[in-house]
Amino acid sequence: MLFGYDQGVLGAVIGLSSFRRDFDDPSPNLEGIIAAIYDIGCFAGAILAFLTADRFGRKGSICVGSWIMVVGTILQTSATEKVQMIISRVITGIGNGMNTVNVPIWQAESFKSHNRGVSDQPLNE
């Protein structure tokens, strides 16, 4: 959900005439960079997640990743320049990458052993 929501919203926003006007009618290449740079941030965040999870634990690392996403989202929302939009997309991606690594692991660790795997399989009773 995290990847789809952020990417899906940006896909709709890039097509708006107000976005095109505010960012001086970006070229298709720049639009692609703005959209795809998020995934570079996610990659960096996934690597960073290993360091933060060891230091702060899974829940702490999820909180750090969520706060990074909040900061990145605020920067995206307030962006008035192309560079700010690109940097804020990287920042948001870092937070999302951290959460994408840590949330499933924390969820698996939180379940009692006899319930692990049940949430993604049909119940046959």
Side-chain angles (χ1 to χ4, degrees), residues 2-74:
L2 291 172
F3 277 106
Y5 183 77
D6 260 340
Q7 293 292 51
V9 168
L10 183 73
V13 169
I14 281 182
L16 294 174
S17 60
S18 58
F19 179 88
R20 303 193 71 67
R21 182 185 63 245
D22 292 345
F23 290 96
D24 299 323
D25 199 26
S27 69
N29 287 339
L30 184 58
E31 287 179 8
I33 290 169
I34 291 171
I37 200 75
Y38 178 80
D39 293 326
I40 302 297
C42 290
F43 177 73
I47 294 170
L48 187 62
F50 293 109
L51 303 173
T52 58
D54 285 342
R55 183 175 175 104
F56 303 116
R58 301 272 184 243
K59 287 193 285 187
S61 184
I62 291 168
C63 286
V64 169
S66 296
W67 278 110
I68 291 172
M69 286 188 76
V70 167
V71 169
T73 302
I74 290 169

Side-chain angles (χ1 to χ4, degrees), residues 22-24 34 75-76 78-88:
D22 292 345
F23 290 96
D24 299 323
I34 291 171
L75 291 172
Q76 281 183 69
S78 65
T80 57
E81 298 290 330
K82 297 169 192 171
V83 173
Q84 182 183 351
M85 178 60 84
I86 291 169
I87 291 170
S88 62

